[in-house]
Amino acid sequence: MEKAFTISGTGCALVDYLYKPISFTGESFQCYLSMKPGDGGLSPGKLVFSEEFEAFSGTDYLVARERITQGKPPVAQNIGGPSIVSLIHAAQMLAGKPAEVRFYGSKGQDAGAAFIEDRLKLTPLKIGKYKTVSQYTPFTDVLSDPDYDNGHGERIFINNIGAAREMRPDDLDDAFFQSDIVVFGGTALVPHLHLSLLELLKKAKANHAMTLVNTVYDFLNEKKNPAAPWPLGRSTETFDYIDLLITDMEEALRLSGQQTVEAALAFFKTTGVGAVIVTHGAKPVHYFYQNRIFGHGGGCKPVSQKVVDAILQNPELAGDTTGCGDNLVGGVIASIAEQLLTPQNRATAKVDLEEAIILGIASGGYTCFYHGGTFFEAFPGQKRQLIALNC
C-alpha cells in the first residue's frame, strides 16, 4: 500500500485574542504609537513583543491593554499563528485526499494549552509532536481597526512568546524531515528554530522534501538593527534551500533591504530561492518562480473582487482580516499537495504555482467572512465548499 502524502510543519502556534473595533486614531491609543522602527511601540500591520512594548511605554502591558480596549473583553478567541493556522487550513482543504498534515510545536500547562488541545480535536490536523514545557502557552492580542485603510481594515499584534522559547531543532524527529513537504511558518516567533533555519532546510532537502517558508514580522531583528536587512537563518545561503518563500510586502522589503516590491523580487531572484509570493493586504499578489518544480515565470494576481464587493455591499458579512495571509499559505500548500497527488505530477514532481496561488488567494479572501484565522468546520469539506461558493 502506498504511503500517504505527508506535510509536516513547525513554527508559530498560539492563542489569538481578538479585540475589535479598536480605533488606531483614538486618544487612548495615540500615546502607544511607534516613533521609529523597532522601538517597541504599536504600528498598524506590525507585531511587537509585550516585553518590548513595556520598555517603550513604561507601562505594564496588561494595564495598557485595559486602556486601549477600554476594558472590553476580546470578541473572539481562536487558534492562531502563521504555522498552525496555515496547516489547519491545508488539512481542511485536503479532506478526502490521501494526504496527512502534521504539526510540531511547544505549549505550556495552562488554560491556553487546554484551549488549543480542545479546539484541535475539531480539525483534521494531526500532531507530530507538541511538547509541553514549563512556560506559558504563547498568545497574541490582535487589535483590529476595520475602518483603517479606507475600510480595508488593519491589525496590530502584541505577542507573548512564552513556551515558543523552548522549541528547539532537536524536537523535530526523522519523520518530520522525511515528509513530502516541510513547512516552516513564522519562525521569527520561535527563536531557536529561526536561527537554525539553514541547517533545518538543508536536512529537509537532503531527504528530498519540498521546502516552504512563510514569514512573520521579525521584531527581534528589527530592534537589533533597523537599518539592515533581516537575516533569515544564519546567512543568505538559507534562501538557496527554500523551494517557496511566502511573505507579505513589509517583510519582503525588510528581508531584501529594498524599497519596492520590484527591487525585492529582483534581490530574491539572485539568492537561489525557488519561488517567492509577496502578499499585500487587499492589493495584488506578486510572485515569480525559477526552479525545476515550478518552471520559470512570474507576475501578479488581484485579490478576490467577489469578496471585496460582498463586504462593501453587506458590511454585516465582515469578520476581520486576522489570518488572511496564513490561510493563503494553507491554500497554496493544499493546491501543491493536490497537484503532486496526481500520478502525472507525482512522477514528474511538477507543480503549476499560479494554480496554487489562485486557491491561496481564494482561501485568504474567505477569511474575511469570519473572526480569527481558524475556521471550524461542521463537516469535512465544508470550508472548501464555502470558498468555492463565495470567492
Side-chain angles (χ1 to χ4, degrees), residues 210-372:
M210 180 187 293
T211 56
L212 189 152
V213 173
N214 56 296
T215 62
V216 69
Y217 192 86
D218 189 348
F219 182 83
L220 289 179
N221 277 307
E222 182 69 20
K223 184 179 190 303
K224 186 177 180 180
N225 193 345
W230 295 341
L232 194 60
R234 298 183 189 277
S235 75
T236 54
E237 186 185 0
T238 302
F239 291 102
D240 200 35
Y241 294 87
I242 301 173
D243 289 316
L244 175 58
L245 173 68
I246 305 179
T247 181
D248 76 8
M249 182 66 73
E250 175 74 8
E251 294 151 17
L253 299 181
R254 294 299 294 116
L255 285 165
S256 65
Q258 304 300 316
Q259 299 298 313
T260 66
V261 65
E262 292 80 11
L265 292 174
F267 165 81
F268 289 131
K269 287 178 182 178
T270 70
T271 65
V273 67
V276 173
I277 299 171
V278 180
T279 66
H280 196 191
K283 297 179 176 66
V285 172
H286 293 261
Y287 60 91
F288 75 85
Y289 44 95
Q290 57 175 15
N291 69 357
R292 178 185 58 79
I293 300 169
F294 305 119
H296 292 77
C300 65
K301 292 188 182 300
V303 299
S304 172
Q305 191 61 43
K306 191 173 181 180
V307 171
V308 173
D309 291 344
I311 290 176
L312 288 177
Q313 294 168 14
N314 302 282
E316 69 278 5
L317 295 177
D320 66 90
T321 55
T322 303
C324 285
D326 303 336
N327 278 271
L328 181 146
V329 172
V332 170
I333 294 170
S335 178
I336 290 172
E338 282 186 321
Q339 292 183 55
L340 291 174
L341 281 167
T342 64
Q344 180 181 354
N345 287 346
R346 192 154 196 179
T348 61
K350 298 293 186 183
V351 170
D352 183 339
L353 185 61
E354 297 197 15
E355 180 180 323
I357 292 171
I358 290 169
L359 182 58
I361 289 172
S363 298
Y366 186 72
T367 313
C368 296
F369 291 119
Y370 60 91
H371 290 293

Side-chain angles (χ1 to χ4, degrees), residues 148-177:
Y148 191 82
D149 189 20
N150 297 314
H152 290 299
E154 188 53 276
R155 299 138 302 150
I156 292 172
F157 308 89
I158 302 95
N159 181 262
N160 300 264
I161 198 167
R165 293 191 188 279
E166 298 189 38
M167 184 68 184
R168 298 177 181 275
D170 58 10
D171 292 316
L172 304 173
D173 58 21
D174 289 343
F176 177 88
F177 293 101

Side-chain angles (χ1 to χ4, degrees), residues 3-8 98 100 102 175-182 204 207-211 243 340-341 346:
K3 75 179 186 71
F5 188 96
T6 57
I7 302 163
S8 292
E100 182 175 285
R102 303 182 300 215
F176 177 88
F177 293 101
Q178 292 165 4
S179 303
D180 295 280
I181 301 176
V182 169
N207 283 277
H208 309 293
M210 180 187 293
T211 56
D243 289 316
L340 291 174
L341 281 167
R346 192 154 196 179

Side-chain angles (χ1 to χ4, degrees), residues 139-154:
F139 71 94
T140 293
D141 287 331
V142 183
L143 311 179
S144 176
D145 183 348
D147 295 324
Y148 191 82
D149 189 20
N150 297 314
H152 290 299
E154 188 53 276

